[in-house]
Amino acid sequence: MDLHHIREDYSKQELSETDCDASPLAQFERWLNEAIKAEANEPTAMNIATVGSDGRPQSRQVLLKEVNAEGFVFFTNYRSRKGRALEANPFAALTFFWPELERQVRIEGRVEQLDAAASDEYFESRPYTSRIGAWASEQSQVISGKSILVARAAAVGVKHPLHVPRPPHWGGYVVIPDRVEFWQGRPSRLHDRIQYRLENGTWLKERLSP
């Protein structure tokens, strides 16, 4: 299989420092809204990379559930592999890629758990079957077969036929950014890269070489 000649020449838009908002969170919300309007596939999907206690990087796709004044919010099982990694090393890197707009956003920062009330509020908004799944799945653990998972879900449904409370081992995290990069594809691989870097409480905007 020859992959050497698979490439795209990006040319839809460009990005300059003056195009970008003073706040990277406001700039991100602008781009996210444009991705949603453009009907990008899974616009809230993001790759989250963590580093466990063994020093090895791990990455996976999760869904962004909120952008607020603090940062970027997602939810998961605290006992999952990513949860254990964040307990050992509370930093993460996020990547959003919207090929329909030839755009990418990279985010780095410290990670904190949301308080119980915020996690409860989001959990209550989830579909009933998703709430059952949070109890039934011991995320990232080895199981002997899918029947084990189905049986656990059935047992949770019997125990909680109407209301499923949030498991204590499941909830939210917020990634509090200190570095955010906006990447806009350009012709001849001369891409536009605008980086925000937090320095002494102030966001600095810088152009990076592609």
Side-chain angles (χ1 to χ4, degrees):
M1 184 185 299
D2 182 6
L3 307 180
H4 294 175
H5 304 294
I6 298 178
R7 59 174 57 89
E8 292 285 338
D9 201 30
Y10 301 126
S11 60
K12 288 183 178 179
Q13 300 184 63
E14 59 184 331
L15 183 67
S16 70
E17 294 90 324
T18 55
D19 294 329
C20 294
D21 195 279
S23 162
L25 293 169
Q27 180 64 28
F28 176 83
E29 288 188 293
R30 182 194 302 175
W31 269 25
L32 177 60
N33 286 332
E34 291 178 7
I36 293 170
K37 288 178 183 177
E39 299 184 344
N41 186 39
E42 294 283 12
T44 62
M46 61 185 187
N47 180 278
I48 176 168
T50 56
V51 176
S53 58
D54 58 1
R56 293 169 61 97
Q58 318 160 7
S59 67
R60 73 291 283 166
Q61 297 292 123
V62 302
L63 297 180
L64 176 72
K65 288 301 178 182
E66 184 182 341
V67 185
N68 58 35
E70 265 199 302
F72 303 83
V73 175
F74 68 97
F75 294 84
T76 191
N77 188 316
Y78 295 143
R79 299 173 184 168
S80 66
R81 195 175 180 207
K82 78 175 80 64
R84 297 195 305 271
L86 289 171
E87 184 176 8
N89 185 11
F91 293 88
L94 309 176
T95 304
F96 293 83
F97 180 48
W98 300 305
E100 297 87 348
L101 298 175
E102 300 174 349
R103 286 175 172 173
Q104 174 179 261
V105 182
R106 298 172 59 202
I107 298 150
E108 299 173 19
R110 181 169 50 85
V111 183
E112 294 182 358
Q113 282 191 15
L114 294 186
D115 61 37
S119 291
D120 286 341
E121 181 179 2
Y122 173 70
F123 192 78
E124 289 297 323
S125 75
R126 304 183 85 209
Y128 176 77
T129 51
S130 296
R131 283 178 275 159
I132 285 180
W135 280 98
S137 173
E138 295 180 350
Q139 191 174 348
S140 304
Q141 301 301 309
V142 176
I143 56 176
S144 59
K146 190 171 183 178
S147 60
I148 299 294
L149 191 60
V150 173
R152 287 176 183 165
V156 174
V158 169
K159 184 177 181 180
H160 301 290
L162 298 177
H163 176 258
V164 183
R166 179 178 64 89
H169 56 268
W170 192 100
Y173 290 98
V174 56
V175 180
I176 303 168
D178 54 37
R179 190 181 298 260
V180 183
E181 180 196 317
F182 294 87
W183 179 98
Q184 178 70 62
R186 297 295 296 147
S188 304
R189 294 297 186 263
L190 299 179
H191 310 304
D192 289 329
R193 298 175 63 189
I194 306 299
Q195 173 182 268
Y196 292 75
R197 182 168 50 84
L198 192 61
E199 187 171 291
N200 298 322
T202 300
W203 285 106
L204 304 179
K205 272 192 290 185
E206 304 164 317
R207 175 171 287 273
L208 302 180
S209 173

